[in-house]
Amino acid sequence: MADVLPLVEARLRSALGEPDARAAVTFLGTDRIEVLRFTDGDIVRYATLGMSAQPMADPTAVLADPVRGPRAELVLSVRSGLADTDKVLRPLAVLAASPQVEGVVVAPGASLDVGEPLWPGAPFTSVLVAEPGGLVEDLELDEPLDPVHFLPLLPMTPNEAAWKRVHGAQALHERWLTNGTDLRDPSRKSVPLE
């Protein structure tokens, strides 16, 4: 079976350019997760590398399939220079390791919470997983492997996360759009939820 990660990194480089920094985090009992940083003008993008090495397993399955199952990496885009967003590396690695550690399948519409600010002073402790296919195209793999999806992460304030739990991801997206919310602003306030 071909190693997936070199193909994933090549796809990230072709879509986002050369990374200007990378860091690796290893949690006990998990594979190594790297976070690559790409700078494009005033936008900084952080992409995980390592989450897609293994397919995500259905937590209700008795035995995890080592070949079949969804594969993904996470991509976070923020405006640079407004906050110390480079401190997001560890929380991103924690989120990328969650399928291995907690047996969850990360999919669009899901909320992921790290339980602390994503970076120092951040008004966000969680993210909304958005639909793939925009910034970085899916990476098709040889059969029987599922493609790798590059899932954008949209930071949510605690109020937005609570509102999303009640009303759903689509309603929160619509609220953001209606209010012209800049989801890349690392210090933005919560969208009006009344």
Side-chain angles (χ1 to χ4, degrees):
M1 196 65 58
D3 187 4
V4 172
L5 296 184
L7 302 173
V8 170
E9 184 168 354
R11 176 55 56 94
L12 286 168
R13 287 172 184 265
S14 70
L16 305 176
E18 286 299 310
D20 60 5
R22 66 192 307 145
V25 180
T26 305
F27 302 100
L28 188 63
T30 67
D31 295 330
R32 179 174 131 139
I33 303 285
E34 287 190 84
V35 179
L36 283 59
R37 183 181 71 191
F38 301 87
T39 305
D40 181 15
D42 70 334
I43 302 295
V44 178
R45 293 190 170 90
Y46 301 93
T48 62
L49 180 63
M51 183 176 168
S52 62
Q54 304 293 326
M56 291 182 272
D58 179 346
T60 62
V62 177
L63 213 55
D65 189 325
V67 176
R68 295 180 187 274
R71 293 174 188 259
E73 295 292 352
L74 308 175
V75 181
L76 174 70
S77 299
V78 292
R79 294 204 183 284
S80 64
L82 302 175
D84 189 8
T85 56
D86 279 352
K87 296 286 195 299
V88 78
L89 301 179
R90 186 167 177 77
L92 264 184
V94 167
L95 296 177
S98 62
Q100 288 182 58
V101 174
E102 299 170 26
V104 297
V105 175
V106 177
S111 300
L112 303 174
D113 196 315
V114 293
E116 61 186 29
L118 292 175
W119 51 82
F124 320 106
T125 60
S126 62
V127 293
L128 176 64
V129 181
E131 292 291 332
L135 188 61
V136 184
E137 285 184 33
D138 293 347
L139 173 64
E140 296 296 328
L141 300 173
D142 294 336
E143 288 291 335
L145 302 180
D146 288 24
V148 176
H149 299 294
F150 297 88
L151 302 171
L153 300 180
L154 308 174
M156 292 188 294
T157 65
N159 286 346
E160 290 170 339
W163 197 84
K164 181 252 175 197
R165 280 192 293 277
V166 174
H167 300 281
Q170 187 58 41
L172 181 57
H173 272 287
E174 289 169 11
R175 186 61 58 117
W176 281 335
L177 282 172
T178 302
N179 286 277
T181 305
D182 180 3
L183 296 174
R184 293 176 178 170
D185 180 350
S187 55
R188 71 174 180 82
K189 302 288 183 240
S190 183
V191 71
L193 299 170
E194 299 304 319

